[in-house]
Amino acid sequence: MQKRQIFDQVSDMEKQIGELYEQLGDLKGKLSDLLEENHRLAMENHHLRNRLDVFEPDQDVAGEEFTKMPSEGYDNLARLYEEGFHICNLEFGSPRRNEDCMFCLDFLSKKK
């Protein structure tokens, strides 16, 4: 009977190790997803900060508003779209992931 108990214990430990290995695989997948999202958000943050550095403020020091040409806003939106960001109201500012968005394209065609 002693040998049977030892065999049962080893079988139970093997089952527990298998379950732990499965849990470890799930955690590894979740960690991978989090790392990818973190990288994507860091890149988006970097691109948005670069865009923010390029834009000039709409007001001068005295608080007087600058007059902008009507096409300047359209040009800025078109440039943002070309840099890979959504300009449609559904996903404004989020990265496009190298694919065209029919809502953004429709928005651009209406503004021309």
Side-chain angles (χ1 to χ4, degrees):
M1 209 51 154
Q2 179 94 13
K3 292 178 184 177
R4 180 68 180 165
Q5 289 175 345
I6 292 173
F7 182 77
D8 288 343
Q9 279 184 319
V10 170
S11 294
D12 287 342
M13 288 176 65
E14 185 179 30
K15 182 181 175 185
Q16 289 175 351
I17 289 172
E19 290 172 357
L20 287 173
Y21 185 74
E22 200 174 304
Q23 289 176 0
L24 182 63
D26 291 343
L27 283 175
K28 185 178 177 183
K30 290 177 184 177
L31 178 62
S32 175
D33 292 344
L34 286 174
L35 289 173
E36 287 177 14
E37 181 181 13
N38 187 30
H39 178 71
R40 181 185 61 80
L41 290 173
M43 292 301 295
E44 181 179 351
N45 191 15
H46 175 73
H47 288 303
L48 291 174
R49 286 187 188 277
N50 286 342
R51 294 298 304 151
L52 189 61
D53 289 342
V54 171
F55 287 129
E56 295 180 0
D58 289 11
Q59 294 184 347
D60 63 4
V61 177
E64 297 176 8
E65 290 190 17
F66 293 119
T67 56
K68 291 186 176 182
M69 296 176 55
S71 65
E72 185 177 352
Y74 172 81
D75 292 341
N76 288 336
L77 288 175
R79 192 173 321 118
L80 281 173
Y81 183 77
E82 290 300 318
E83 288 179 3
F85 293 97
H86 282 278
I87 58 168
C88 61
N89 63 339
L90 300 174
E91 298 186 49
F92 183 80
S94 62
R96 282 191 295 121
R97 300 184 187 147
N98 297 329
E99 54 192 34
D100 286 331
C101 171
M102 65 180 194
F103 298 111
C104 292
L105 292 175
D106 185 49
F107 180 79
L108 284 173
S109 67
K110 288 180 183 177
K111 296 295 179 182
K112 286 185 179 181

